[in-house]
Amino acid sequence: CEVLNAAEARHRWPLLRVDDGEELFFEPQAGVLLASEALRAVERRFVALGGQVVRAEASFAHERGRLVARCDGAE
């Protein structure tokens, strides 16, 4: 799996909207990326960047032009 920054992704796929600061996972040898493996890869990268993983039920809503995720009352 390759980790591509926004500039690399926009260069490869100009029609794909990728914001600065975002990263993509690309598997050049497969047409399918297994969801469970992809989620584990995202989790490892998120934790490596200092994030904290919380497993709980989440809700999502559009507010003031943005998507908001809430988990146990926290955004």
Side-chain angles (χ1 to χ4, degrees):
C1 196
E2 294 178 44
V3 179
L4 304 174
N5 66 33
E8 292 167 329
R10 286 192 297 260
H11 176 75
R12 289 189 192 192
W13 304 288
L15 297 179
L16 186 63
R17 179 182 168 196
V18 184
D19 293 329
D20 289 335
E22 291 183 330
E23 294 179 324
L24 282 78
F25 292 96
F26 174 61
E27 173 50 64
Q29 300 299 316
V32 175
L33 186 62
L34 298 175
S36 59
E37 292 180 29
L39 289 173
R40 282 192 294 273
V42 169
E43 180 177 333
R44 283 191 305 271
R45 181 72 173 153
F46 181 68
V47 170
L49 292 171
Q52 179 183 2
V53 176
V54 176
R55 285 174 173 62
E57 187 171 327
S59 63
F60 299 89
H62 282 98
E63 294 181 6
R64 298 178 300 281
R66 65 188 184 113
L67 180 62
V68 176
R70 288 193 178 83
C71 181
D72 294 334
E75 275 189 21

